[in-house]
Amino acid sequence: MDTYGIIGWPVAHSLSPAMHNAAFKSLGIRAVYGLLPLAPENLAEGIKGIRALNIKGVSVTVPHKETVMPLLDEIDPVASEIGAVNTIVNKDGRLLGFNTDWIGVKKALEEKIAISGQKAVVVGAGGAAKAVVYALIKEGASVAIYNRTFEKAKRLAQTLGGVALPWEELASASVDILIQTTSVGLKEDKSPVPKEVLSRFKLVMDIVYQPLKTRLLREAEEAGCETIDGLSMLVYQGIEQFYLWFGARPQASLMREAAEKELLGEKNDQARN
Ligand code: ATR
């Protein structure tokens, strides 16, 4: 039986095992997908372990998406341009790095709108913003990046495109869609975007998925916007990851249901503890 897994730190709450194991079961694939917790200082050793144990495919999450790159044998050109790897394919002992996060963003948005020609605002300029900016620009949207630390937004725009604008100007932006990429709202009832500006947008997407309905998404709905929750991107990046490993795409609904069930289970556990 082949082994797959996710490296990250911390990684205990990842929904990827539930999603991929559900897909294995449904497609009759004899494989197992588990958690591979790896502290940053152990990353190089961990990659050696993946080679030694012949783990066939690895998902990569925070904080390893950038630092793992020099440890691999080959990096796909798109992952290289984005500057982050979220998927490793072990091809006959050679570790190849890919990025499917940007496809996750693209597919999540395409469920609701055609991206080309949209005026998009990206909130945040960290690791997660990279794939978002890349997807939007590649698909023909114009992108304005707003970040608490302006310099970081400027650097991201210089590398991947779009323009960096001062945070205070968000209220006067001419815009269609907003994508929230910071960690604000993760397990807390906070939103990085003032409620008053939300009615300017047609569509608001959050990449935070814990809780599933973040404060930002709640307020966006109240302001009359369409919304996309964080699970959507997670599921679509997982589908593309699966495709890189097996050449087949599981149903989005199957992966989503598995992820939701896991999320709900965790919430119930917390309530009991
Ligand atoms: P990730 O890889 O998850 O994107 P990151 O690279 O540490 O994590 O980036 C986190 C992003 O969230 C950054 O854009 C950060 O803003 P700064 O560049 O100013 O640090 C943003 N962020 C984190 N906490 C925030 C807060 N309380 N308010 C606004 N932005 C915040």
Side-chain angles (χ1 to χ4, degrees):
M1 186 172 312
D2 287 335
T3 309
Y4 293 77
I6 178 161
I7 57 170
W9 189 260
V11 79
H13 298 290
S14 168
L15 303 180
S16 294
M19 293 194 321
H20 285 294
N21 284 318
F24 292 163
K25 201 169 157 195
S26 150
L27 297 173
I29 294 172
R30 272 179 50 77
V32 64
Y33 183 110
L35 296 172
L36 304 168
L38 208 48
E41 62 272 24
N42 297 330
L43 180 61
E45 281 305 306
I47 295 297
K48 278 188 199 163
I50 284 162
R51 293 179 192 277
L53 296 167
N54 197 24
I55 293 176
K56 295 289 187 186
V58 178
S59 312
V60 183
T61 189
V62 184
H64 301 317
K65 288 186 182 186
E66 291 146 30
T67 44
V68 80
M69 294 173 77
L71 302 170
L72 304 179
D73 300 310
E74 211 177 297
I75 305 290
D76 171 74
V78 172
S80 184
E81 194 177 341
I82 295 172
V85 157
N86 78 321
T87 308
I88 300 172
V89 177
N90 182 345
K91 191 159 186 281
D92 307 322
R94 280 175 57 76
L95 300 187
L96 318 177
F98 294 87
N99 187 301
T100 69
D101 282 335
W102 78 273
I103 306 175
V105 177
K106 170 178 139 75
K107 294 263 171 83
L109 285 169
E110 282 174 350
E111 271 193 345
K112 302 267 181 174
I113 49 147
I115 302 171
S116 179
Q118 302 285 347
K119 292 178 189 150
V121 158
V122 174
V123 176
K130 289 180 174 181
V132 172
V133 171
Y134 180 87
L136 288 166
I137 292 202
K138 178 149 175 40
E139 297 306 310
S142 61
V143 176
I145 307 166
Y146 294 81
N147 191 48
R148 180 178 61 178
T149 313
F150 180 66
E151 274 310 305
K152 246 167 97 180
K154 228 165 97 179
R155 242 177 291 140
L156 182 59
Q158 273 160 6
T159 341
L160 288 176
V163 290
L165 294 172
W167 183 251
E168 309 75 54
E169 289 181 17
L170 182 57
S172 56
S174 156
V175 282
D176 301 310
I177 60 183
L178 179 142
I179 305 181
Q180 190 312 99
T181 73
T182 76
S183 50
V184 180
L186 175 66
K187 296 183 184 165
E188 57 179 8
D189 193 35
K190 283 188 187 159
S191 164
V193 183
K195 202 160 101 175
E196 304 73 56
V197 308
L198 291 172
S199 59
R200 308 179 64 85
F201 297 91
K202 286 192 296 214
L203 176 70
V204 172
M205 171 167 157
D206 202 337
I207 68 156
V208 171
Y209 56 79
Q210 268 174 314
L212 210 45
K213 192 166 280 185
T214 55
R215 180 169 184 156
L216 170 66
L217 293 184
R218 235 174 42 230
E219 292 180 343
E221 274 177 13
E222 283 161 19
C225 314
E226 277 218 77
T227 59
I228 303 176
D229 67 31
L231 267 196
S232 192
M233 176 191 167
L234 183 80
V235 163
Y236 282 114
Q237 66 75 35
I239 291 175
E240 292 308 305
Q241 197 159 71
F242 196 94
Y243 180 75
L244 287 171
W245 295 331
F246 300 101
R249 288 187 178 86
Q251 296 244 325
S253 57
L254 175 104
M255 277 199 161
R256 178 156 183 123
E257 275 162 29
E260 274 183 7
K261 205 168 141 205
E262 185 72 15
L263 257 185
L264 207 68
E266 260 181 35
K267 220 161 104 188
N268 291 343
D269 284 348
Q270 276 168 12
R272 270 196 296 273
N273 290 340

